[in-house]
Amino acid sequence: MTRLIYQPDPRLDLVLERIVDVSPDLVWAAWTTSEQIKKWFTPAPWATVDCEIDLRPGGIFRTVMRSPEGQEFPDVGCYLEIIPNERLVWTNALAPGFRPSGPSAEEVKECAMIMFTAVISLEPHGKGTKYTALAMHREEEGRRKHEAMGFHDGWGKALDQLVAHMKKS
Amino acid sequence: MTRLIYQPDPRLDLVLERIVDVSPDLVWAAWTTSEQIKKWFTPAPWATVDCEIDLRPGGIFRTVMRSPEGQEFPDVGCYLEIIPNERLVWTNALAPGFRPSGPSAEEVKECAMIMFTAVISLEPHGKGTKYTALAMHREEEGRRKHEAMGFHDGWGKALDQLVAHMKKS
């Protein structure tokens, strides 16, 4: 079976690409262990206060983020593709068990939710990792909203936290 | 890795369960070969005039149905789980390559599209097959619309055509 190729579409997708000086297996552990996720996933002063991971296609990826004011934001996704130390793919367009999810008609109208599929790709780079995060959207509007919400800054800061945390551990 | 269990929810899901007298490998071939799909997939007098299959998670499952009046209805889905001769899962909530798909805000408003994930399960039963088709919806409204559109009758007739066709071939 040929491996799936993810070809970013600049109109629909957002990409964060960085070289980091921790190895792919450590980055993988940071992304796939609920205890680790809580340590780095959300740029401070926000926090990730809960995380549930069932690491198989169809399995749950659930996080709860807490704002500095104490408001909690749960987020539930479904894993799609898992290649240890290389590729992690999940979406919030499906609920765990592959049931369609995504925003209700009301949420679409209010633009209250951004639907996307995320692809984290890791490649060895010296002693570190070439890290690529891809967020694929249904339409241009989704990409634009996600960008305006601070995708690059947010995912970049989270990655900084991941690296700092994994170097300590 | 534990195998995913699909537990139908009567509020959200539709199920067609039948014993058919063709073997699981023939039912599998009927579902996973584009030339075969065209022979049985759409209850007559409708026809399936085109079909594209890339049988891997993330791969395309595309069909084009033609009404007796000659109007064509393309439908694009994305495979999620493939266990040869046992289980075939796809959804129209994702486009091929796992990109979020599903109806636009406009289509949601007009109720013009039903989003679902389909699970075809096959079990040997004597010389034949215990055949279960499960359609999982996001919400009760989707299940109701799909039922009203004739899910049981349509999928049942298509299965009759599948059996008749595979017995001949």
Side-chain angles (χ1 to χ4, degrees), chain B residues 28-169:
Chain B
W28 183 260
W31 262 106
T32 57
T33 320
S34 59
E35 280 316 302
Q36 305 284 11
I37 285 271
K38 288 187 218 167
K39 305 255 168 63
W40 68 267
F41 191 61
T42 319
W46 286 59
T48 303
V49 293
D50 199 8
C51 175
E52 187 181 351
I53 288 177
D54 177 10
L55 197 65
R56 53 178 173 166
I60 192 170
F61 178 41
R62 183 177 66 83
T63 54
V64 180
M65 302 193 226
R66 184 184 287 160
S67 75
E69 295 75 31
Q71 204 185 344
E72 296 197 346
F73 299 84
D75 200 11
V76 175
C78 173
Y79 288 114
L80 295 169
E81 198 184 13
I82 291 155
I83 307 175
N85 302 333
E86 290 184 34
R87 191 191 275 178
L88 186 66
V89 184
W90 77 97
T91 189
N92 64 1
L94 297 178
F98 296 133
R99 178 184 298 281
S101 173
S104 64
E106 202 53 37
E107 287 166 324
V108 168
K109 223 174 56 194
E110 292 177 359
C111 303
M113 188 178 152
I114 293 169
M115 239 199 307
F116 66 100
T117 294
V119 181
I120 304 295
S121 302
L122 310 175
E123 274 177 59
H125 187 274
K127 287 179 181 168
T129 302
K130 183 181 160 198
Y131 177 99
T132 310
L134 163 67
M136 300 191 292
H137 306 86
R138 183 189 182 285
E139 54 209 344
E140 211 167 332
E141 179 61 15
R143 191 264 301 158
R144 244 188 261 119
K145 273 193 285 182
H146 207 168
E147 197 165 14
M149 269 181 64
F151 167 84
H152 290 100
D153 191 49
W155 286 54
K157 276 188 186 153
L159 181 58
D160 289 340
Q161 294 182 168
L162 182 159
V163 170
H165 171 62
M166 294 317 278
K167 280 180 160 178
K168 273 190 310 199
S169 61

Side-chain angles (χ1 to χ4, degrees), chain A residues 15-77:
Chain A
V15 179
L16 175 80
E17 194 181 292
R18 292 251 300 267
I19 306 292
V20 295
D21 60 351
V22 293
S23 61
D25 59 309
L26 285 181
V27 178
W28 183 260
W31 263 106
T32 57
T33 320
S34 59
E35 281 315 303
Q36 306 284 10
I37 285 271
K38 288 186 217 167
K39 305 255 168 64
W40 68 266
F41 192 61
T42 319
W46 286 60
T48 303
V49 293
D50 199 8
C51 176
E52 187 182 351
I53 288 177
D54 177 11
L55 198 64
R56 54 178 172 166
I60 192 169
F61 177 41
R62 184 177 65 84
T63 54
V64 180
M65 302 193 226
R66 184 184 287 158
S67 75
E69 294 75 30
Q71 205 186 342
E72 296 197 347
F73 299 85
D75 200 13
V76 175

Side-chain angles (χ1 to χ4, degrees), chain A residues 1-4 6 12-13 56-58 80 93-94 97-105 107-108 116-117 136-138, chain B residues 1-4 6 12-13 56-57 80 93-94 97-105 107-108 116-117 136-138:
Chain A
M1 202 160 62
T2 335
R3 187 178 283 202
L4 216 60
Y6 297 91
L12 299 175
D13 300 338
R56 54 178 172 166
L80 295 169
L94 297 178
F98 297 133
R99 179 184 299 281
S101 173
S104 64
E107 287 165 326
V108 168
F116 66 100
T117 294
M136 300 191 291
H137 306 86
R138 182 189 183 284
Chain B
M1 202 160 63
T2 335
R3 186 178 282 201
L4 217 59
Y6 296 92
L12 299 174
D13 301 337
R56 53 178 173 166
L80 295 169
L94 297 178
F98 296 133
R99 178 184 298 281
S101 173
S104 64
E107 287 166 324
V108 168
F116 66 100
T117 294
M136 300 191 292
H137 306 86
R138 183 189 182 285

Side-chain angles (χ1 to χ4, degrees), chain A residues 81-102:
Chain A
E81 198 184 13
I82 291 155
I83 307 175
N85 302 332
E86 290 185 35
R87 191 191 274 177
L88 186 66
V89 184
W90 77 96
T91 189
N92 64 1
L94 297 178
F98 297 133
R99 179 184 299 281
S101 173

Side-chain angles (χ1 to χ4, degrees), chain A residues 9-15 92 103 107-108 110-117 134-152 155, chain B residues 99-101 103-105:
Chain A
D9 175 339
R11 198 174 63 82
L12 299 175
D13 300 338
L14 295 169
V15 179
N92 64 1
E107 287 165 326
V108 168
E110 292 176 359
C111 303
M113 189 178 152
I114 294 169
M115 240 200 306
F116 66 100
T117 294
L134 163 66
M136 300 191 291
H137 306 86
R138 182 189 183 284
E139 55 210 344
E140 212 168 332
E141 179 61 14
R143 191 264 301 157
R144 245 189 259 119
K145 274 193 284 182
H146 207 167
E147 198 165 15
M149 270 180 63
F151 167 85
H152 290 100
W155 287 54
Chain B
R99 178 184 298 281
S101 173
S104 64

